[in-house]
Amino acid sequence: MIFAIHALYLPNVTEQRAALLPSHRDYLATVADRIAFAGPLLGAQGEPVGSLMVVDFDDEAHVRAWLAAEPFTHGGLFKQLDVQVFQNRWPQKVGFPEA
């Protein structure tokens, strides 16, 4: 199943986020073959305000277990973390720039 993970950061976590970013990326790499796309959500000034990930997992229990050990989650960066089943019903016409 495809899941959309929408997470918003607590205020004033910029330094903590920067410190956790390498381990966050390494953790995402453990499921790289399951990620449709992932990246930061940006505020009006271009600052990171959250994350959006669309990932394939067997079920919600697996997604939640994976998220529990994710460095940003484990580090307490999120004020809101939502997980929803996602159905892609729009054929992709344009690609995303490479990371």
Coordinates of all heavy atoms in Angstrom, one line a residue:
M1 N 0.8 -1.2 0.0 CA 0.0 0.0 0.0 C 0.9 1.2 0.0 O 2.0 1.2 0.6 CB -0.9 0.0 1.2 CG -1.9 -1.1 1.4 SD -2.8 -1.0 2.9 CE -4.1 0.2 2.4
I2 N 0.4 2.3 -0.6 CA 1.1 3.5 -0.7 C 0.6 4.4 0.5 O -0.6 4.6 0.6 CB 0.9 4.3 -2.0 CG1 1.3 3.3 -3.2 CG2 1.7 5.6 -2.1 CD1 2.7 2.9 -3.2
F3 N 1.5 5.0 1.2 CA 1.1 5.9 2.3 C 1.8 7.3 2.1 O 2.9 7.4 1.7 CB 1.6 5.3 3.7 CG 0.9 4.1 4.1 CD1 1.4 2.8 3.7 CD2 -0.2 4.2 4.8 CE1 0.7 1.7 4.0 CE2 -0.9 3.0 5.2 CZ -0.5 1.8 4.8
A4 N 1.0 8.3 2.4 CA 1.5 9.7 2.4 C 1.7 10.0 3.9 O 0.9 9.9 4.7 CB 0.5 10.6 1.8
I5 N 2.9 10.4 4.1 CA 3.3 10.8 5.5 C 3.6 12.3 5.5 O 4.5 12.8 4.8 CB 4.6 10.1 5.9 CG1 4.4 8.6 5.8 CG2 5.1 10.5 7.3 CD1 5.7 7.8 5.8
H6 N 2.8 13.0 6.2 CA 2.8 14.5 6.3 C 3.2 14.9 7.7 O 2.5 14.6 8.6 CB 1.4 15.1 5.9 CG 1.4 16.6 5.9 ND1 0.9 17.3 7.0 CD2 1.7 17.5 5.0 CE1 0.9 18.6 6.8 NE2 1.5 18.7 5.5
A7 N 4.3 15.5 7.8 CA 4.8 15.9 9.2 C 5.2 17.4 9.2 O 5.8 17.9 8.3 CB 6.1 15.0 9.5
L8 N 4.8 18.0 10.3 CA 5.1 19.4 10.5 C 6.0 19.5 11.7 O 5.8 18.9 12.8 CB 3.8 20.2 10.7 CG 2.9 20.3 9.5 CD1 1.6 21.0 9.9 CD2 3.6 20.9 8.3
Y9 N 7.0 20.4 11.6 CA 8.0 20.5 12.7 C 7.5 21.4 13.8 O 6.7 22.3 13.6 CB 9.3 21.2 12.2 CG 10.0 20.4 11.1 CD1 10.6 21.0 10.0 CD2 10.1 19.0 11.2 CE1 11.2 20.3 9.0 CE2 10.8 18.3 10.2 CZ 11.3 19.0 9.1 OH 11.9 18.3 8.1
L10 N 8.0 21.2 15.0 CA 7.8 22.1 16.1 C 8.6 23.4 15.8 O 9.5 23.4 15.0 CB 8.4 21.5 17.4 CG 7.6 20.4 18.0 CD1 8.5 19.6 19.0 CD2 6.4 20.9 18.7
P11 N 8.3 24.5 16.4 CA 9.1 25.7 16.2 C 10.5 25.6 16.8 O 10.7 24.8 17.7 CB 8.3 26.8 17.0 CG 7.2 26.2 17.7 CD 7.1 24.7 17.3
N12 N 11.4 26.3 16.2 CA 12.8 26.4 16.8 C 13.5 25.1 16.8 O 14.2 24.8 17.8 CB 12.8 27.0 18.2 CG 12.1 28.4 18.2 OD1 12.4 29.2 17.3 ND2 11.2 28.6 19.1
V13 N 13.4 24.2 15.8 CA 14.1 23.0 15.7 C 15.2 23.0 14.6 O 15.7 21.9 14.2 CB 13.2 21.7 15.6 CG1 12.3 21.6 16.8 CG2 12.4 21.8 14.3
T14 N 15.5 24.1 14.1 CA 16.4 24.2 12.9 C 17.7 23.6 13.2 O 18.2 22.8 12.4 CB 16.6 25.7 12.5 OG1 15.3 26.3 12.2 CG2 17.4 25.8 11.3
E15 N 18.3 23.9 14.3 CA 19.7 23.3 14.6 C 19.6 21.8 14.9 O 20.4 21.1 14.4 CB 20.3 24.1 15.8 CG 20.7 25.5 15.5 CD 21.3 26.2 16.7 OE1 21.8 25.5 17.6 OE2 21.3 27.4 16.7
Q16 N 18.6 21.4 15.6 CA 18.4 20.0 15.9 C 18.1 19.2 14.6 O 18.7 18.1 14.4 CB 17.2 19.8 16.9 CG 17.0 18.4 17.3 CD 15.9 18.2 18.3 OE1 15.2 19.2 18.6 NE2 15.7 17.0 18.8
R17 N 17.3 19.8 13.7 CA 17.0 19.2 12.4 C 18.3 19.0 11.6 O 18.6 18.0 11.0 CB 16.0 20.0 11.6 CG 15.7 19.4 10.2 CD 14.8 20.4 9.4 NE 14.6 19.8 8.1 CZ 15.5 19.9 7.1 NH1 16.6 20.6 7.2 NH2 15.2 19.4 5.9
A18 N 19.1 20.1 11.6 CA 20.4 20.0 10.8 C 21.3 18.9 11.4 O 22.0 18.2 10.6 CB 21.1 21.4 10.9
A19 N 21.3 18.8 12.7 CA 22.2 17.8 13.3 C 21.7 16.4 13.0 O 22.5 15.4 12.8 CB 22.2 18.0 14.8
L20 N 20.4 16.2 12.9 CA 19.8 14.9 12.6 C 19.7 14.5 11.1 O 19.4 13.4 10.7 CB 18.4 14.8 13.2 CG 18.4 14.7 14.7 CD1 16.9 14.9 15.2 CD2 19.0 13.5 15.3
L21 N 19.9 15.5 10.2 CA 19.7 15.3 8.8 C 20.5 14.2 8.2 O 19.9 13.4 7.5 CB 19.9 16.6 8.1 CG 19.5 16.7 6.6 CD1 18.0 16.3 6.5 CD2 19.8 18.0 6.0
P22 N 21.8 14.0 8.5 CA 22.5 12.9 7.9 C 21.9 11.5 8.3 O 21.7 10.6 7.5 CB 23.9 13.1 8.5 CG 24.0 14.5 8.7 CD 22.7 14.9 9.2
S23 N 21.6 11.4 9.6 CA 21.0 10.1 10.0 C 19.6 9.9 9.5 O 19.2 8.8 9.2 CB 21.0 10.0 11.6 OG 20.3 11.0 12.2
H24 N 18.8 11.0 9.3 CA 17.5 10.9 8.7 C 17.6 10.4 7.3 O 16.9 9.5 6.8 CB 16.9 12.3 8.7 CG 15.7 12.5 7.8 ND1 14.5 12.0 8.1 CD2 15.6 13.2 6.6 CE1 13.6 12.4 7.1 NE2 14.3 13.1 6.2
R25 N 18.6 11.0 6.5 CA 18.8 10.5 5.1 C 19.2 9.1 5.1 O 18.8 8.3 4.2 CB 19.8 11.4 4.4 CG 19.2 12.8 4.1 CD 20.2 13.7 3.4 NE 19.6 15.0 3.0 CZ 20.3 16.1 2.9 NH1 21.6 16.1 3.1 NH2 19.6 17.2 2.6
D26 N 20.1 8.7 6.0 CA 20.6 7.3 6.0 C 19.4 6.4 6.3 O 19.3 5.3 5.7 CB 21.7 7.1 7.1 CG 23.0 7.7 6.7 OD1 23.2 8.1 5.5 OD2 23.8 7.9 7.6
Y27 N 18.5 6.8 7.2 CA 17.4 6.0 7.5 C 16.4 5.8 6.4 O 15.9 4.7 6.1 CB 16.7 6.6 8.8 CG 15.7 5.6 9.4 CD1 16.1 4.5 10.1 CD2 14.3 5.8 9.2 CE1 15.2 3.6 10.7 CE2 13.4 5.0 9.8 CZ 13.8 3.9 10.5 OH 12.9 3.0 11.1
L28 N 16.2 6.9 5.6 CA 15.4 6.8 4.5 C 16.0 5.9 3.4 O 15.3 5.2 2.7 CB 15.2 8.2 3.8 CG 13.9 9.0 4.2 CD1 13.8 9.2 5.7 CD2 13.7 10.2 3.5
A29 N 17.3 5.9 3.3 CA 18.0 5.0 2.4 C 17.7 3.6 2.6 O 17.8 2.7 1.7 CB 19.5 5.3 2.4
T30 N 17.3 3.2 3.9 CA 17.0 1.8 4.2 C 15.8 1.3 3.5 O 15.6 0.1 3.4 CB 16.9 1.5 5.7 OG1 15.8 2.2 6.2 CG2 18.2 2.0 6.4
V31 N 14.9 2.2 3.0 CA 13.7 1.9 2.3 C 13.6 2.6 1.0 O 12.6 2.9 0.4 CB 12.4 2.1 3.1 CG1 12.4 1.2 4.3 CG2 12.3 3.6 3.5
A32 N 14.8 3.0 0.4 CA 14.9 3.7 -0.8 C 14.1 3.1 -2.0 O 13.4 3.9 -2.7 CB 16.3 3.9 -1.3
D33 N 14.0 1.8 -2.0 CA 13.3 1.2 -3.1 C 11.8 1.3 -2.9 O 11.0 0.9 -3.8 CB 13.7 -0.3 -3.3 CG 13.5 -1.1 -2.0 OD1 13.5 -0.5 -0.9 OD2 13.2 -2.3 -2.1
R34 N 11.3 1.7 -1.8 CA 9.9 1.9 -1.5 C 9.4 3.3 -1.6 O 8.2 3.6 -1.5 CB 9.6 1.4 -0.1 CG 9.9 -0.1 0.1 CD 9.7 -0.4 1.6 NE 9.8 -1.8 1.9 CZ 8.8 -2.6 2.2 NH1 7.6 -2.1 2.4 NH2 9.0 -3.9 2.4
I35 N 10.3 4.3 -1.7 CA 10.0 5.7 -1.7 C 9.6 6.2 -3.1 O 10.4 6.1 -4.0 CB 11.1 6.6 -1.1 CG1 11.4 6.1 0.3 CG2 10.8 8.0 -1.2 CD1 12.6 6.8 0.9
A36 N 8.4 6.7 -3.2 CA 8.0 7.4 -4.5 C 8.6 8.7 -4.6 O 9.2 9.1 -5.6 CB 6.4 7.5 -4.6
F37 N 8.5 9.5 -3.5 CA 9.2 10.8 -3.3 C 9.2 11.2 -1.9 O 8.4 10.7 -1.1 CB 8.6 11.9 -4.2 CG 7.2 12.2 -4.1 CD1 6.8 13.1 -3.1 CD2 6.2 11.6 -4.8 CE1 5.4 13.4 -3.0 CE2 4.9 11.9 -4.7 CZ 4.5 12.8 -3.8
A38 N 10.1 12.0 -1.5 CA 10.3 12.5 -0.2 C 11.1 13.8 -0.2 O 11.9 14.0 -1.0 CB 11.0 11.5 0.7
G39 N 10.7 14.7 0.8 CA 11.5 15.9 0.8 C 10.9 16.9 1.8 O 9.8 16.6 2.4
P40 N 11.5 18.0 2.0 CA 11.0 19.0 3.0 C 9.8 19.8 2.5 O 9.8 20.0 1.3 CB 12.2 19.9 3.3 CG 13.0 19.8 2.0 CD 12.8 18.4 1.5
L41 N 9.0 20.2 3.4 CA 7.9 21.2 3.1 C 8.5 22.5 3.5 O 9.2 22.6 4.6 CB 6.7 20.9 3.9 CG 6.0 19.6 3.6 CD1 4.9 19.2 4.6 CD2 5.4 19.6 2.2
L42 N 8.4 23.5 2.7 CA 9.0 24.8 2.9 C 8.0 25.9 3.2 O 6.9 26.0 2.7 CB 9.8 25.2 1.7 CG 10.9 24.2 1.2 CD1 11.6 24.7 -0.1 CD2 11.9 23.9 2.3
G43 N 8.5 26.8 4.1 CA 7.7 28.0 4.5 C 7.9 29.1 3.5 O 8.6 29.0 2.5
A44 N 7.3 30.2 3.8 CA 7.3 31.4 2.9 C 8.7 31.9 2.6 O 8.9 32.5 1.5 CB 6.4 32.5 3.5
Q45 N 9.6 31.8 3.5 CA 11.0 32.2 3.3 C 11.9 31.1 2.8 O 13.1 31.3 2.8 CB 11.5 32.8 4.6 CG 10.7 33.9 5.2 CD 10.5 35.1 4.3 OE1 11.4 35.5 3.6 NE2 9.2 35.5 4.2
G46 N 11.4 30.0 2.5 CA 12.2 28.8 2.0 C 12.7 28.0 3.1 O 13.5 27.1 2.9
E47 N 12.3 28.2 4.3 CA 12.8 27.4 5.5 C 12.0 26.1 5.6 O 10.8 26.1 5.3 CB 12.7 28.3 6.8 CG 11.2 28.4 7.3 CD 10.4 29.4 6.6 OE1 10.7 30.0 5.6 OE2 9.3 29.7 7.2
P48 N 12.6 25.0 6.0 CA 11.9 23.8 6.2 C 10.9 23.9 7.4 O 11.2 24.4 8.5 CB 13.0 22.8 6.6 CG 14.3 23.4 6.2 CD 14.1 24.9 6.3
V49 N 9.7 23.5 7.1 CA 8.6 23.6 8.1 C 8.0 22.2 8.4 O 7.2 22.0 9.2 CB 7.5 24.5 7.7 CG1 8.0 26.0 7.7 CG2 6.8 24.1 6.4
G50 N 8.5 21.2 7.6 CA 8.0 19.8 7.7 C 8.5 18.9 6.7 O 9.5 19.3 5.9
S51 N 7.9 17.7 6.6 CA 8.4 16.7 5.6 C 7.2 16.1 4.9 O 6.1 16.0 5.6 CB 9.2 15.6 6.3 OG 10.4 16.1 6.9
L52 N 7.4 15.7 3.7 CA 6.4 14.9 3.0 C 7.1 13.7 2.4 O 8.1 13.9 1.7 CB 5.7 15.7 1.9 CG 4.7 15.0 1.0 CD1 3.5 14.5 1.9 CD2 4.2 15.8 -0.1
M53 N 6.5 12.5 2.7 CA 7.1 11.3 2.1 C 5.9 10.5 1.6 O 4.9 10.4 2.2 CB 7.8 10.5 3.2 CG 9.0 11.2 3.8 SD 9.8 10.3 5.1 CE 8.8 10.9 6.5
V54 N 6.1 9.9 0.4 CA 5.1 8.9 -0.1 C 5.9 7.6 -0.3 O 6.8 7.5 -1.1 CB 4.5 9.4 -1.4 CG1 3.5 8.4 -2.0 CG2 3.8 10.7 -1.1
V55 N 5.4 6.6 0.5 CA 6.2 5.4 0.7 C 5.3 4.2 0.6 O 4.2 4.2 1.1 CB 7.0 5.4 2.0 CG1 7.9 4.2 2.1 CG2 7.7 6.7 2.2
D56 N 5.8 3.1 0.0 CA 5.1 1.8 -0.1 C 5.5 0.9 1.1 O 6.6 0.6 1.3 CB 5.5 1.1 -1.4 CG 4.8 -0.2 -1.7 OD1 3.7 -0.4 -1.0 OD2 5.2 -0.9 -2.5
F57 N 4.5 0.6 1.9 CA 4.6 -0.4 3.0 C 3.5 -1.4 3.0 O 2.5 -1.1 2.4 CB 4.6 0.4 4.4 CG 5.9 1.0 4.8 CD1 6.1 2.3 4.5 CD2 6.9 0.3 5.4 CE1 7.3 3.0 4.9 CE2 8.1 0.9 5.8 CZ 8.3 2.2 5.5
D58 N 3.7 -2.5 3.6 CA 2.7 -3.6 3.6 C 1.4 -3.1 4.2 O 0.3 -3.5 3.8 CB 3.2 -4.8 4.4 CG 4.3 -5.5 3.7 OD1 4.5 -5.3 2.4 OD2 5.1 -6.2 4.3
D59 N 1.5 -2.4 5.3 CA 0.3 -1.9 6.0 C 0.7 -0.7 7.0 O 1.8 -0.4 7.1 CB -0.4 -3.0 6.8 CG 0.6 -3.8 7.8 OD1 1.4 -3.1 8.4 OD2 0.5 -5.0 7.9
E60 N -0.3 -0.2 7.6 CA -0.1 1.0 8.4 C 0.8 0.7 9.7 O 1.6 1.5 10.1 CB -1.4 1.7 8.9 CG -1.2 3.0 9.6 CD -2.4 3.8 9.8 OE1 -3.5 3.5 9.2 OE2 -2.4 4.7 10.7
A61 N 0.6 -0.5 10.2 CA 1.4 -0.9 11.3 C 2.9 -0.9 11.0 O 3.7 -0.4 11.8 CB 1.0 -2.3 11.8
H62 N 3.3 -1.3 9.8 CA 4.7 -1.3 9.3 C 5.2 0.2 9.2 O 6.3 0.5 9.5 CB 4.9 -2.0 8.0 CG 4.9 -3.5 8.2 ND1 3.9 -4.3 7.9 CD2 5.9 -4.3 8.7 CE1 4.2 -5.6 8.2 NE2 5.4 -5.6 8.7
V63 N 4.3 1.0 8.6 CA 4.7 2.4 8.4 C 4.9 3.1 9.8 O 5.9 3.8 10.0 CB 3.6 3.2 7.6 CG1 3.1 4.4 8.2 CG2 4.1 3.5 6.3
R64 N 4.0 2.8 10.7 CA 4.1 3.4 12.1 C 5.4 2.9 12.8 O 6.1 3.7 13.5 CB 2.9 3.2 12.9 CG 1.6 3.8 12.2 CD 1.1 4.9 13.0 NE 0.0 5.5 12.4 CZ -0.2 6.8 12.3 NH1 0.6 7.6 12.8 NH2 -1.3 7.3 11.7
A65 N 5.7 1.6 12.7 CA 6.9 1.1 13.3 C 8.1 1.7 12.7 O 9.1 2.0 13.4 CB 6.9 -0.5 13.1
W66 N 8.1 1.8 11.4 CA 9.3 2.5 10.7 C 9.4 3.9 11.2 O 10.5 4.4 11.5 CB 9.1 2.4 9.2 CG 10.2 2.9 8.4 CD1 11.5 2.4 8.2 CD2 10.2 4.2 7.8 NE1 12.2 3.3 7.4 CE2 11.5 4.4 7.2 CE3 9.3 5.2 7.6 CZ2 11.8 5.5 6.4 CZ3 9.6 6.4 6.9 CH2 10.9 6.5 6.3
L67 N 8.3 4.6 11.2 CA 8.4 6.0 11.7 C 8.8 6.2 13.1 O 9.5 7.2 13.4 CB 7.0 6.7 11.5 CG 6.6 7.1 10.1 CD1 5.2 7.6 10.0 CD2 7.6 8.2 9.6
A68 N 8.5 5.3 14.0 CA 8.9 5.4 15.4 C 10.4 5.4 15.6 O 10.9 6.1 16.5 CB 8.3 4.2 16.2
A69 N 11.1 4.8 14.7 CA 12.6 4.7 14.8 C 13.2 5.8 13.9 O 14.5 5.9 13.9 CB 13.1 3.3 14.5
E70 N 12.5 6.5 13.1 CA 13.0 7.5 12.2 C 13.6 8.6 13.0 O 13.1 9.1 14.0 CB 11.8 8.0 11.3 CG 12.3 8.7 10.1 CD 12.7 10.2 10.4 OE1 12.1 10.8 11.3 OE2 13.6 10.6 9.7
P71 N 14.8 9.1 12.7 CA 15.6 10.0 13.5 C 14.8 11.3 13.8 O 14.9 11.8 14.9 CB 16.8 10.3 12.7 CG 17.1 9.0 12.0 CD 15.7 8.6 11.6
F72 N 14.1 11.9 12.9 CA 13.3 13.1 13.2 C 12.2 12.8 14.1 O 11.9 13.6 15.0 CB 12.7 13.7 11.9 CG 13.7 14.5 11.0 CD1 15.1 14.6 11.3 CD2 13.3 15.1 9.8 CE1 16.0 15.2 10.5 CE2 14.2 15.8 9.0 CZ 15.5 15.9 9.3
T73 N 11.5 11.7 14.0 CA 10.5 11.3 14.9 C 11.1 11.0 16.3 O 10.6 11.6 17.3 CB 9.7 10.1 14.4 OG1 9.2 10.3 13.1 CG2 8.5 9.7 15.3
H74 N 12.1 10.2 16.3 CA 12.7 9.8 17.5 C 13.3 11.0 18.2 O 13.3 11.1 19.5 CB 13.8 8.8 17.2 CG 14.3 8.0 18.4 ND1 15.5 8.4 19.0 CD2 13.7 7.1 19.2 CE1 15.7 7.6 20.1 NE2 14.6 6.8 20.2
G75 N 13.8 12.0 17.5 CA 14.4 13.2 18.0 C 13.4 14.2 18.5 O 13.7 15.3 19.0
G76 N 12.1 14.0 18.3 CA 11.0 14.9 18.8 C 10.8 16.1 18.0 O 10.4 17.1 18.5
L77 N 11.1 16.1 16.7 CA 11.0 17.3 15.8 C 9.6 17.6 15.4 O 9.3 18.8 15.1 CB 11.9 17.2 14.6 CG 13.3 17.7 14.6 CD1 14.1 17.0 15.7 CD2 13.9 17.6 13.3
F78 N 8.7 16.7 15.4 CA 7.4 16.9 14.8 C 6.4 17.3 15.8 O 6.2 16.7 16.9 CB 6.9 15.6 14.1 CG 7.8 15.1 13.0 CD1 8.2 13.8 12.9 CD2 8.2 16.0 12.0 CE1 9.0 13.4 11.9 CE2 9.0 15.6 10.9 CZ 9.4 14.3 10.9
K79 N 5.6 18.3 15.5 CA 4.4 18.7 16.3 C 3.2 18.0 15.7 O 2.2 17.8 16.5 CB 4.2 20.2 16.3 CG 3.7 20.8 14.9 CD 3.5 22.3 15.1 CE 3.1 22.9 13.7 NZ 2.9 24.3 13.8
Q80 N 3.2 17.5 14.5 CA 2.1 16.8 13.9 C 2.7 15.8 12.9 O 3.6 16.1 12.1 CB 1.3 17.8 13.1 CG 0.1 17.2 12.4 CD -0.8 18.3 11.7 OE1 -0.8 19.4 12.1 NE2 -1.5 17.8 10.7
L81 N 2.2 14.6 13.0 CA 2.6 13.5 12.1 C 1.4 12.7 11.7 O 0.7 12.1 12.5 CB 3.6 12.6 12.8 CG 4.2 11.5 12.1 CD1 5.0 12.0 10.9 CD2 5.1 10.6 13.0
D82 N 1.0 12.9 10.4 CA -0.2 12.2 9.8 C 0.2 11.2 8.8 O 1.1 11.4 8.0 CB -1.1 13.2 9.2 CG -1.7 14.2 10.1 OD1 -2.1 13.8 11.2 OD2 -1.7 15.4 9.8
V83 N -0.4 10.0 8.9 CA -0.2 8.9 7.9 C -1.5 8.6 7.3 O -2.5 8.3 8.0 CB 0.4 7.7 8.6 CG1 0.5 6.5 7.6 CG2 1.7 8.0 9.3
Q84 N -1.6 8.7 5.9 CA -2.8 8.4 5.2 C -2.5 7.4 4.1 O -1.4 7.6 3.4 CB -3.4 9.7 4.6 CG -3.8 10.7 5.7 CD -5.0 10.2 6.5 OE1 -6.0 9.7 5.9 NE2 -4.9 10.4 7.7
V85 N -3.4 6.5 3.8 CA -3.3 5.7 2.6 C -3.5 6.6 1.4 O -4.3 7.6 1.4 CB -4.4 4.6 2.5 CG1 -4.4 3.8 1.2 CG2 -4.2 3.6 3.7
F86 N -2.7 6.4 0.3 CA -2.7 7.3 -0.8 C -2.9 6.4 -2.1 O -2.3 5.4 -2.2 CB -1.4 8.0 -1.0 CG -1.2 8.8 -2.2 CD1 -1.9 10.0 -2.3 CD2 -0.4 8.4 -3.3 CE1 -1.7 10.8 -3.5 CE2 -0.3 9.1 -4.4 CZ -0.9 10.4 -4.5
Q87 N -3.8 6.9 -3.0 CA -4.0 6.2 -4.3 C -3.6 7.3 -5.3 O -4.3 8.3 -5.4 CB -5.5 5.8 -4.5 CG -5.9 4.7 -3.6 CD -7.3 4.3 -3.9 OE1 -8.1 5.1 -4.4 NE2 -7.7 3.1 -3.5
N88 N -2.6 6.9 -6.1 CA -2.3 7.8 -7.2 C -3.2 7.5 -8.4 O -3.2 6.5 -9.0 CB -0.8 7.5 -7.6 CG -0.3 8.5 -8.7 OD1 -0.9 9.6 -8.9 ND2 0.7 8.1 -9.4
R89 N -4.0 8.5 -8.8 CA -4.9 8.4 -9.9 C -4.6 9.4 -11.0 O -5.5 9.6 -11.8 CB -6.3 8.6 -9.4 CG -6.7 7.5 -8.4 CD -8.1 7.4 -8.2 NE -8.4 6.3 -7.3 CZ -9.6 6.0 -6.9 NH1 -10.6 6.7 -7.2 NH2 -9.8 4.9 -6.1
W90 N -3.5 10.0 -10.9 CA -3.1 11.0 -11.9 C -1.8 10.5 -12.6 O -0.8 10.3 -12.0 CB -2.8 12.3 -11.3 CG -2.7 13.4 -12.3 CD1 -1.5 14.0 -12.8 CD2 -3.8 14.1 -13.0 NE1 -1.8 14.9 -13.7 CE2 -3.2 15.0 -13.8 CE3 -5.2 14.0 -12.9 CZ2 -3.9 15.8 -14.7 CZ3 -5.9 14.8 -13.7 CH2 -5.3 15.7 -14.6
P91 N -1.8 10.3 -13.9 CA -0.6 9.8 -14.6 C 0.4 10.9 -14.5 O 0.2 12.1 -14.8 CB -1.1 9.6 -16.0 CG -2.3 10.3 -16.2 CD -2.9 10.5 -14.8
Q92 N 1.6 10.5 -14.2 CA 2.7 11.4 -14.0 C 3.1 11.9 -15.4 O 3.5 11.1 -16.3 CB 3.9 10.8 -13.3 CG 5.0 11.8 -13.0 CD 6.1 11.2 -12.2 OE1 5.9 10.2 -11.5 NE2 7.2 11.8 -12.1
K93 N 3.1 13.2 -15.6 CA 3.4 13.9 -16.9 C 4.8 14.5 -16.8 O 5.4 14.7 -17.9 CB 2.4 14.9 -17.3 CG 1.0 14.3 -17.5 CD 1.0 13.4 -18.7 CE -0.5 12.9 -19.0 NZ -0.5 12.0 -20.0
V94 N 5.2 14.9 -15.7 CA 6.5 15.6 -15.5 C 7.2 14.9 -14.4 O 6.6 14.4 -13.4 CB 6.4 17.1 -15.2 CG1 5.8 17.8 -16.4 CG2 5.6 17.4 -14.0
G95 N 8.5 14.9 -14.4 CA 9.3 14.2 -13.4 C 9.7 15.2 -12.3 O 9.5 16.4 -12.5
F96 N 10.2 14.7 -11.3 CA 10.8 15.5 -10.2 C 12.3 15.7 -10.5 O 12.9 14.8 -11.0 CB 10.5 14.9 -8.9 CG 9.1 14.8 -8.5 CD1 8.3 13.7 -8.7 CD2 8.5 15.9 -7.9 CE1 7.0 13.7 -8.3 CE2 7.2 15.9 -7.5 CZ 6.4 14.8 -7.7
P97 N 12.8 16.8 -10.1 CA 14.3 17.0 -10.3 C 15.0 16.0 -9.4 O 14.5 15.6 -8.4 CB 14.6 18.4 -9.9 CG 13.4 18.8 -9.1 CD 12.2 18.0 -9.5
E98 N 16.1 15.5 -9.9 CA 16.9 14.6 -9.1 C 17.4 15.2 -7.8 O 17.7 16.4 -7.8 CB 18.1 14.1 -9.9 CG 17.6 13.2 -11.1 CD 18.7 12.3 -11.6 OE1 19.7 12.0 -10.8 OE2 18.7 11.9 -12.7
A99 N 17.5 14.4 -6.8 CA 17.9 14.9 -5.5 C 19.4 15.3 -5.5 O 20.1 14.8 -6.2 CB 17.6 13.9 -4.4

